DNA sequence: TCATATATAATCACATTCAATCAAATTACA
DNA sequence: TGTAATTTGATTGAATGTGATTATATATGA
């Protein structure tokens, strides 16, 4: 397959060939490289040492392996909490509202992170998000991904505040999937005013607004108001939601789906 | 294929031929050039030195290689990649240029990622970045962190393109630490036009521009131009940088620091 | 665990290439 | 034509890359 390579090569050129060979084979032995490039083991080792210094490959006893080959395994290991069944069900239900070609907003929060994970193989979408966690979930592959710009709020790992306005003003969203800390029949509330500001702005830029929140959040009131229920088109929650509350929301024109 | 080339040529013309030959072959030895151009090794070496000063090619023991040939791979971001000593030293040197209270921009790339890591305990700064990796590095604690908003480029894990403009227009930077794929005495180049666009914009918004690049990148020419060396205040690189090239840059008013 | 085989690192010697210097040739300009 | 400046080529000592040798370290199998 690989043929003998001509005469005197310049060192960097030979090193490039070594790197190519290592990459192509995934892993290769020193002797094999010696045969292919017609140089001594000492030279090959020196080349490998240099290449390892650049991080292009990894030396092992007997030869070298490509850097890429090494990290096939440990890609996603930072799973923190096992999402509750409710959150997963809610996220799966939200999928029903996403259509091919949509521009979708994914808000911060663990429920929304579940949704992001479900979009990993949907390349025919544009996902806009302010959540670093959601972005990380989709950073390797998946839909076209657009991050809001602005200040990082460490606690929630989301991008929030006035600086998010500049970008949001220039785009339009088909559907926004929002989270919240608490909701009452009137309003959505959250801990941080900067975060509330961004949420409100996002909802105003979206054709449809979906609110995803497990039933535990019903009745919780936090510090900063991020909008009111009138602006929500559909509320997806679990079956733990009080009947009375659901009825009240439906009276206001909100579609409520319980899973 | 390449035939003997006539008789005595004027120096600049011959140098152009040398450059073409180097480019065509990717790498070529001094003797080969001597044969082809019918001049002595000394002359070829002088030509190569001049051409290296412009960053058009890179001299190596035995001959010269074109920038492209040296480093075709646009850095796949490996989490496990061991940062070379050069990159770490360059990053540490860059620290000297950061003062309390500064608003600092951190570009994408592995060298800049090293710099970001060094800022983890500097809470008296504002860091602006388009790099998801740098953001992740500082996401748990550290300086005030602002992310650019825009489209994620998966290959480099950076946020790039026209959407980054909206936020950049509203802020000013004290100092921008920039990376690049390749640089010559004239220009900085990078693989992706969207990325180039953002780099250029960032540099225009910053009081001071620092370029961080290991010497391997000198002479490399990539696809999209992201600015020219005139816009760089200080260039930090390692001691492998060719003397001739450094001299040329200093003549242009760029401060060059080698570590 | 030990023994054996293999791979590596360290040292050295050799060959090649390079930088510096100087002399010769060419060119520029009056 | 004459003089100075530049370019080129040769020579030499220094530097660098390569390959062989030997001692150490690492894998493999009983």
């Amino acid at each position: 397959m690989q043929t003998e390579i001509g005469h005197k090569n310049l060192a960097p050129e030979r090193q490039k060939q070594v790197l190519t060979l290592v990459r192509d084979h995934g892993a290769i032995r020193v002797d094999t490289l010696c045969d292919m490039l017609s140089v001594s083991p000492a030279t090959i080792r020196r080349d490998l040492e240099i290449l390892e210094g650049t991080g292009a490959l990894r030396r092992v006893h007997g030869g070298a392996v490509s850097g890429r080959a090494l990290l096939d395994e440990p890609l996603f290991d930072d799973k923190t909490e096992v999402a509750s069944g409710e959150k997963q069900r809610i996220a799966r239900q939200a999928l029903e509202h996403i259509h091919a070609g949509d521009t979708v907003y994914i808000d911060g929060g663990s429920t929304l992170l579940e949704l992001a994970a479900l979009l990993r193989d949907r390349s025919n979408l544009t996902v806009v998000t302010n959540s670093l966690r959601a972005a990380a979930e989709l950073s390797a592959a998946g839909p076209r991904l657009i991050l809001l710009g602005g200040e990082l709020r460490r606690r929630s790992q989301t991008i929030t505040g006035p600086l998010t306005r500049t970008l949001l003003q220039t785009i339009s969203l088909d559907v926004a999937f929002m989270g919240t800390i608490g909701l009452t029949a009137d309003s959505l509330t959250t801990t941080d005013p900067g975060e509330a500001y961004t949420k409100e702005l996002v909802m105003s830029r979206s054709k449809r607004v979906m609110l995803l929140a497990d039933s535990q959040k019903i009745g919780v009131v936090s510090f900063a108001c991020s909008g009111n229920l009138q602006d929500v088109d559909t509320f997806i929650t679990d079956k733990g939601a009080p009947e009375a509350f659901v009825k009240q929301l439906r009276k206001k024109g909100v579609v409520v789906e319980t899973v």
Side-chain angles (χ1 to χ4, degrees), chain A residues 71 110 123 135 151 158 192 220 248:
Chain A
L71 66 135
S110 53
S123 55
E151 187 162 356
T158 55
D192 180 65
V220 173
Q248 188 146 2

Side-chain angles (χ1 to χ4, degrees), chain A residues 79-254:
Chain A
K79 267 278 148 282
T80 44
E81 64 196 290
V82 185
S84 69
E86 279 81 19
K87 287 177 178 176
Q88 283 186 339
R89 277 200 299 278
I90 290 170
R92 213 172 334 259
Q93 174 64 22
L95 273 185
E96 302 294 322
H97 298 269
I98 297 176
H99 310 109
D102 274 355
T103 297
V104 174
Y105 183 85
I106 306 278
D107 200 20
S110 53
T111 307
L112 281 297
L113 189 56
E114 287 299 316
L115 177 56
L118 295 175
L119 297 180
R120 266 202 288 238
D121 52 359
R122 298 283 293 265
S123 55
N124 55 351
L125 295 175
T126 298
V127 168
V128 183
T129 187
N130 74 329
S131 160
L132 277 196
R133 303 291 293 277
E137 199 66 50
L138 297 172
S139 68
R144 184 166 171 232
L145 184 59
I146 290 168
L147 269 91
L148 296 192
E151 187 162 356
L152 178 73
R153 184 169 173 257
R154 289 210 157 83
R155 179 145 196 188
S156 58
Q157 294 285 300
T158 55
I159 294 157
T160 65
L163 284 173
T164 56
R165 186 175 58 89
T166 63
L167 193 150
L168 277 168
Q169 277 183 330
T170 69
I171 61 174
S172 300
L173 302 163
D174 291 312
V175 48
F177 294 94
M178 308 301 296
T180 190
I181 296 294
L183 75 158
T184 66
D186 295 325
S187 61
L188 309 172
T189 51
T190 215
T191 29
D192 180 65
E195 192 136 356
Y197 174 90
T198 297
K199 281 181 198 289
E200 200 162 3
L201 196 52
V202 166
M203 300 202 303
S204 77
R205 302 291 306 172
S206 181
K207 288 205 199 94
R208 282 177 294 145
V209 173
M210 322 287 299
L211 179 64
L212 277 56
D214 61 85
S215 60
Q216 301 279 15
K217 287 172 173 167
I218 294 169
V220 173
V221 179
S222 184
F223 173 59
C225 174
S226 63
N228 65 67
L229 264 293
Q230 311 278 14
D231 304 323
V232 172
D233 295 298
T234 304
F235 173 39
I236 306 180
T237 187
D238 60 76
K239 296 206 193 299
E243 263 310 312
F245 183 79
V246 170
K247 218 169 254 175
Q248 188 146 2
L249 252 52
R250 288 191 169 133
K251 208 182 293 175
K252 292 193 177 199
V254 178

Side-chain angles (χ1 to χ4, degrees), chain A residues 23 28-29 39 44 49 54 58 73 75 77 99 159 196 210 218 226 250:
Chain A
R23 289 251 162 95
I28 196 167
R29 308 185 56 76
V39 289
I44 290 296
E49 192 179 357
T54 74
R58 195 77 173 271
E73 284 299 317
L75 255 175
D77 45 42
H99 310 109
I159 294 157
M210 322 287 299
I218 294 169
S226 63
R250 288 191 169 133

